[in-house]
Amino acid sequence: MMQTENSRINRRGMLGLLLGGVAQAGMARGALAQDLIASPLPKPRPADLYLQSIPTGEALIEASGLSGEVSYVVADSLSGAIHESHVPLLRLPPASVAKTVTALYALEHLGADYRFATRVLRSGPVVDGIVQGDLILAGGGDPTLDTDGLAVLAGQLVEQGIKGVSGRFLIDDTALPRIEEIDAGQTEYAGYNPTVSGLNLNYNRVHFEWKKQGEGYSLKMDARAERFAPDVRIARISVAARNLPVFDHVAGQGRDEWTVAQSALGNGGARWLPVRLPGLYAGEVFQAVASAQGLRLPQGQRLAASGEEIARIESAPMSVVVRDMLKYSTNLTAEVLGLTASRARGLTVGSLQASASAMSDWARGALNMRHISFVDHSGLGGASEVTTVDLAHMLVAPGVEARLAPLLKSFPMKDGQGGVIKNHPLSVVAKTGTLNFVSTLAGYVDAPGGKRMAFAIFVADVPRREAAQAQGAEIPQGARTFNGRAKKLQQALIERWGALAPADAFPG
């Protein structure tokens, strides 16, 4: 007991000494003691301190170093309420984001189960394996038809014992109007700017391959697919002793004549060139794959014709065609879908612009897109215009998300070195669009907490784009840098919205 009490006394004595020492020191330094007593307690951190550290959209735009204009809108995907926007009524080129509208247009007027058909017809009976009359290759506009598909079609004829034809081999490509090129403002040799027709093959492109051989080059043009790659005569190419243009095209008599600048060839390489005579191209390739299976055909002639169907192949259903169009951004597919949908509505459309105008009218009424003005269905033409608020209206329109979102491609978040960030808290599905000095993105983002938002972001320097087009370069100086910065800005904006969404802390 005594030991415990002494311990307590000792502790108390020590505490008193300490307190006394502090008191004496305070008496000696009264001013400092007064300051300590008067000093307020530290203020608690504001509840939104973290949110205050998130840069504004304007700050992100400023930091991007981009020239031109930026427009964006982000909205609640369920209610349609706009969370944030920046000059949302600015009309800018949509680039390939236009394909989202085309996808909805095609699904609405053709249906998810619609299939394109390519057929073979005969005008007379078959006697001893020979068609007594004409054999007709009839296109249905299928934008996905390739050389292997034509080989399957020819195989169906061979299985019936057909070995030849007494009459003509006709090519009917009148299912759709023939359109020389999607956008006249593109470089002549851009493989993504082919002719559109009622009979399309290999996306209306021919494969050009070259190899250094001694002092010259070995040149090859073929219609390659996975199984078959027949050489073609419909497109020919020769080397020219010049620097520019890299490629030059002249429409010959029944063929495409190309020249390529020798200075651009190096030791070898390959690329796709557009086909300007797609009906004859498909006919020649069909003739080649048929011959490989024992069916001999004369040279094809373009002519609308009718007869009894004896063979057919079909495309994948429209839902798959649309999904692949959005994934690979194939311009030919978009134009064929738009033209076919317009014709399914009973409209007479002889040009891309007429069909695109009809699609724009439909979008105004069906999707509440007030400022839309398209000149084609792919977005390749820079004269098309739409606003980001229009795209937001489209994305949140009744039934659109359920139909469109499953067809969109995942848009991964990337680190500063361009690597994909695994397990990122944001999940994005979207359609990208790229032209020289134009970068667009539109889709849906899932933020932590289960909040889903629809968004559209456009970045464009239209004067710079127009100046580059006038120079005729396929990829003008500065275009890659511009588009790279635009993509970084787009991701930064999406990450901003993802940070604000769980607390519903959008400005205003």
Side-chain angles (χ1 to χ4, degrees):
M1 292 289 294
M2 183 62 68
Q3 186 177 4
T4 302
E5 185 64 20
N6 287 340
S7 300
R8 287 176 180 171
I9 292 171
N10 291 341
R11 291 191 192 99
R12 287 171 183 168
M14 181 64 69
L15 184 58
L17 289 172
L18 289 171
L19 288 174
V22 170
Q24 290 174 7
M27 291 173 65
R29 299 190 297 272
L32 177 58
Q34 184 64 32
D35 288 344
L36 289 171
I37 294 170
S39 178
L41 294 173
K43 293 182 179 179
R45 290 191 305 170
D48 64 347
L49 180 63
Y50 167 69
L51 298 178
Q52 289 178 4
S53 69
I54 299 172
T56 65
E58 287 75 10
L60 292 174
I61 293 171
E62 181 68 24
S64 71
L66 284 159
S67 61
E69 305 282 356
V70 177
S71 172
Y72 64 75
V73 171
V74 60
D76 185 276
S77 68
L78 292 178
S79 68
I82 293 177
H83 293 315
E84 185 173 79
S85 67
H86 180 78
V87 286
L89 295 177
L90 187 63
R91 297 166 67 104
L92 292 171
S96 282
V97 165
K99 293 182 176 75
T100 57
V101 182
T102 302
L104 296 172
Y105 188 58
L107 290 169
E108 177 69 21
H109 298 292
L110 298 173
D113 297 326
Y114 179 89
R115 295 173 185 262
F116 293 94
T118 306
R119 305 175 300 147
V120 177
L121 317 174
R122 60 178 172 86
S123 65
V126 179
V127 179
D128 296 330
I130 305 299
V131 174
Q132 304 301 304
D134 299 330
L135 192 75
I136 304 120
L137 176 63
D142 186 357
T144 66
L145 180 66
D146 65 6
T147 298
D148 291 350
L150 285 185
V152 171
L153 195 60
Q156 293 179 17
L157 301 177
V158 173
E159 288 173 359
Q160 298 174 46
I162 297 175
K163 297 178 293 185
V165 56
S166 67
R168 300 167 296 177
F169 172 41
L170 301 180
I171 303 156
D172 187 347
D173 58 4
T174 59
L176 293 174
R178 183 183 180 282
I179 296 164
E180 181 69 18
E181 56 188 341
I182 297 172
D183 177 33
Q186 302 291 325
T187 53
E188 189 174 36
Y189 51 88
Y192 49 78
N193 186 34
T195 297
V196 182
S197 167
L199 180 56
N200 307 293
L201 181 69
N202 300 329
Y203 299 103
N204 290 343
R205 301 177 307 172
V206 63
H207 189 260
F208 169 47
E209 184 175 1
W210 66 94
K211 294 180 181 177
K212 183 75 172 175
Q213 195 172 64
E215 295 299 316
Y217 288 88
S218 170
L219 309 178
K220 177 181 173 62
M221 301 191 87
D222 61 53
R224 66 179 50 197
E226 289 189 13
R227 293 181 56 214
F228 294 87
D231 291 342
V232 298
R233 302 180 305 276
I234 193 73
R236 298 194 307 190
I237 193 163
S238 60
V239 177
R242 64 168 187 260
N243 292 323
L244 292 173
V246 175
F247 290 93
D248 192 26
H249 170 265
V250 177
Q253 187 64 36
R255 64 171 54 92
D256 285 328
E257 300 281 2
W258 290 91
T259 59
V260 58
Q262 183 173 348
S263 61
L265 292 179
N267 291 323
R271 68 170 292 153
W272 293 92
L273 291 172
V275 168
R276 299 298 177 209
L277 301 167
L280 292 177
Y281 173 55
E284 180 186 326
V285 173
F286 183 74
Q287 183 188 40
V289 295
S291 177
Q293 300 177 72
L295 169 56
R296 304 286 184 241
L297 296 173
Q299 184 174 348
Q301 307 171 47
R302 289 180 61 236
L303 186 68
S306 60
E308 180 185 349
E309 180 181 311
I310 54 175
R312 160 191 289 249
I313 57 171
E314 294 183 345
S315 71
M318 181 58 60
S319 57
V320 175
V321 173
V322 166
R323 181 200 65 198
D324 289 349
M325 174 194 70
L326 294 173
K327 180 178 180 180
Y328 300 109
S329 207
T330 43
N331 294 327
L332 178 71
T333 302
E335 303 306 346
V336 167
L337 295 191
L339 287 166
T340 305
S342 291
R343 288 203 164 188
R345 296 174 64 193
L347 303 175
T348 302
V349 289
S351 68
L352 292 183
Q353 189 159 1
S355 181
S357 178
M359 184 176 77
S360 298
D361 289 340
W362 169 80
R364 290 185 192 99
L367 303 173
N368 195 27
M369 302 180 77
R370 304 295 177 82
H371 309 94
I372 183 172
S373 177
F374 283 178
V375 298
D376 57 36
H377 307 94
S378 63
L380 186 60
S384 289
E385 290 183 336
V386 70
T387 67
T388 53
V389 75
D390 278 324
L391 280 166
H393 287 158
M394 179 198 78
L395 292 168
V396 302
V400 167
E401 182 180 342
R403 176 173 273 186
L404 184 62
L407 304 176
L408 294 174
K409 187 168 62 174
S410 175
F411 182 82
M413 298 287 107
K414 297 183 179 181
D415 58 27
Q417 288 70 47
V420 174
I421 302 173
K422 296 182 179 179
N423 303 317
H424 195 282
L426 299 180
S427 175
V428 181
V429 292
K431 180 71 189 80
T432 60
T434 303
L435 297 171
N436 290 328
F437 302 107
V438 176
S439 181
T440 59
L441 185 70
Y444 302 93
V445 54
D446 288 317
K451 190 175 185 67
R452 178 166 251 212
M453 297 171 286
F455 69 89
I457 310 168
F458 283 13
V459 184
D461 190 335
V462 174
R464 200 171 173 188
R465 168 176 167 73
E466 291 174 348
Q469 279 191 299
Q471 296 171 4
E474 186 174 17
I475 304 176
Q477 185 177 3
R480 285 199 174 103
T481 299
F482 179 94
N483 288 347
R485 289 177 177 175
K487 291 184 184 304
K488 289 180 180 179
L489 172 62
Q490 289 159 356
Q491 175 170 320
L493 288 168
I494 291 170
E495 289 179 322
R496 164 180 162 76
W497 302 330
L500 294 173
D504 199 19
F506 291 95

